[in-house]
């Protein structure tokens, strides 16, 4: 069985070595990069299953790396940060990170958070909440292939972040059902969100823009969001 691959982009050598050593002992395959440029090159070569990304890097911000990765890869990201301010944490999540951990950290917590993210993705892939025979879900000009995590608009591929894809699949799987923002956070993010629910609004706005779906993914004022049953 192939080992899960994790790329660590961290400029503090002692921390990077500790993480790599600990993850290898836990059965993962780990590689490290000490700056953003090397990290992006290693990302292309190594093709990891998860990215451990430091917020503060010598050549560019971890947020910039996060933005580039989510725009081009369907890859979960665990941010490592010395910042404890709640606004910074929310910002990282809104840029596409799946979770964050604050320095100093316990290696056991890092491993636990990684396993939680990977487990949540595996469950999302297995439980798409659509009929087993539905290989492709179609809604007007949008087509979603859950098994490949592929989305097309008018036949052209659309790049979605992992969270955007999971959110879309959740809404498509229950057309007509109204979800509160809290319900979407609990289902898609899978942990207690450290702040308010604005991140759901941000992801919904991005989905609407990328898919030209303002009339398909609608706001139920005072409650939350739903995917319309009919697309006529």
């Amino acid at each position: 069985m192939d080992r899960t691959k994790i790329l660590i982009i961290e400029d503090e050598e002692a921390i990077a070595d500790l993480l790599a050593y600990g993850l290898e002992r836990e059965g993962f395959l780990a590689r490290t990069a000490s700056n953003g440029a090397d990290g992006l090159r290693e990302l292309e070569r190594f093709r990891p299953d998860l990215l451990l990304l430091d917020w503060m890097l010598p050549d560019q911000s971890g947020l910039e790396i996060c933005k580039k990765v989510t725009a081009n890869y369907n890859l979960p990201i665990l941010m490592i940060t010395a910042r404890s301010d709640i606004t910074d944490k929310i910002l990282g999540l809104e840029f596409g990170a799946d979770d964050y951990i604050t320095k100093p950290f316990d290696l056991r917590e890092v491993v636990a958070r990684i396993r939680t993210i990977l487990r949540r993705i595996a469950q999302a892939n297995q439980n798409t909440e659509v009929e087993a025979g539905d290989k492709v879900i179609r809604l007007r000009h949008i087509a979603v292939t859950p098994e490949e995590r592929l989305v097309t608009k008018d036949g052209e591929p659309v790049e979605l972040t992992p969270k955007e894809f999971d959110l879309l699949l959740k809404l498509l799987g229950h057309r007509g059902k109204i979800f509160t923002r809290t319900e979407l956070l609990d289902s898609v993010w899978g942990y207690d969100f450290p702040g308010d629910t604005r991140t759901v609004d941000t992801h919904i706005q991005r989905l609407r823009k990328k898919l030209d779906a303002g009339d398909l993914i609608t706001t139920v004022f005072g409650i939350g969001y739903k995917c319309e049953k009919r697309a006529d």
Side-chain angles (χ1 to χ4, degrees), residues 7-168:
L7 175 62
I8 304 159
I9 305 180
E10 164 64 64
D11 64 316
E12 294 187 49
E13 185 178 355
I15 293 178
D17 289 346
L18 172 66
L19 287 168
Y21 175 74
L23 292 174
E24 290 277 353
R25 289 198 57 172
E26 291 292 327
F28 299 105
L29 182 61
R31 286 190 186 175
T32 64
S34 60
N35 58 63
D38 289 345
L40 289 173
R41 284 191 290 268
E42 191 62 35
L43 186 67
E44 187 65 29
R45 291 192 294 261
F46 187 44
R47 293 287 176 172
D49 300 297
L50 183 140
L51 175 62
L52 263 176
L53 176 63
D54 187 24
W55 183 298
M56 301 294 291
L57 295 168
D59 57 341
Q60 53 190 304
S61 165
L63 286 181
E64 281 300 310
I65 298 293
C66 189
K67 187 176 180 180
K68 292 174 183 176
V69 170
T70 54
N72 294 287
Y73 300 91
N74 185 18
L75 181 68
I77 300 172
L78 174 57
M79 293 284 292
I80 306 171
T81 175
R83 299 170 180 262
S84 59
D85 185 85
I86 191 67
T87 303
D88 289 330
K89 294 175 180 177
I90 293 173
L91 183 62
L93 293 167
E94 291 187 348
F95 264 69
D98 290 77
D99 200 355
Y100 66 89
I101 193 162
T102 305
K103 297 178 182 178
F105 52 77
D106 188 306
L107 185 58
R108 291 170 297 181
E109 183 182 2
V110 177
V111 172
R113 288 179 181 270
I114 288 172
R115 294 197 189 281
T116 297
I117 292 172
L118 295 174
R119 183 167 59 248
R120 186 167 66 240
I121 291 173
Q123 289 172 348
N125 288 339
Q126 293 171 4
N127 182 24
T128 61
E129 299 183 278
V130 296
E131 294 297 325
D134 288 340
K135 298 298 183 183
V136 180
I137 310 165
R138 300 186 186 278
L139 188 63
R140 198 188 294 168
H141 59 292
I142 301 167
V144 180
T145 308
E147 290 184 358
E148 300 177 23
R149 295 182 71 85
L150 173 67
V151 179
T152 61
K153 180 182 73 172
D154 296 322
E156 295 296 322
V158 179
E159 290 291 340
L160 299 183
T161 68
K163 283 291 179 290
E164 289 168 351
F165 182 89
D166 293 341
L167 183 58
L168 175 63

